Each structure stands twice: as structure tokens, then as C-alpha cells.
Amino acid sequence: MIVSKRYFLTDMERESVEQTLTNKGHLREEVLGMDDEEIIHIYQKYQVQELIAK
């Protein structure tokens, strides 16, 4: 059985993650159209890359 977990961001968390993604080169309009799960998925990729780089 596959269990999926849904992520929801508070307004402050979403603003912070949106800002991080736009700083990483994503278009603001593109980020605004994403739902929370899409944003978290991309953000987590950047976090993992930063951890590996250390």
C-alpha cells in the first residue's frame, strides 16, 4: 500500500520558499502558479544539493 502525504505551507513559509526559488533563477510567474507540493519538491532538491556540496 502506498501512503502519500500532502504538504501545506503557511503564507510566511510559502513567501520564503517562493523568494528562494526566484533567487535560484525560477521565474516569479512560474513559481506563483505552482501548488505547495510542487514548490516543496523543488525546494527540497536545492536543500539536498546544498547538503551534498558541503
Side-chain angles (χ1 to χ4, degrees), residues 14 18 22 27-35 38-39:
R14 184 167 175 110
E18 285 174 354
T22 53
L27 297 175
R28 181 124 180 104
E29 298 80 24
E30 177 184 280
V31 174
L32 291 174
M34 294 179 185
D35 66 15
E38 290 174 305
I39 287 177

Side-chain angles (χ1 to χ4, degrees), residues 12-51:
M12 246 173 68
E13 290 171 331
R14 184 167 175 110
E15 286 178 29
S16 175
V17 172
E18 285 174 354
Q19 185 61 48
T20 300
L21 294 182
T22 53
N23 290 346
K24 299 281 187 185
H26 291 271
L27 297 175
R28 181 124 180 104
E29 298 80 24
E30 177 184 280
V31 174
L32 291 174
M34 294 179 185
D35 66 15
D36 286 355
E37 283 194 27
E38 290 174 305
I39 287 177
I40 291 169
H41 181 74
I42 295 169
Y43 182 71
Q44 286 176 336
K45 283 184 183 179
Y46 284 119
Q47 287 181 319
V48 169
Q49 288 173 354
E50 287 177 16
L51 287 172

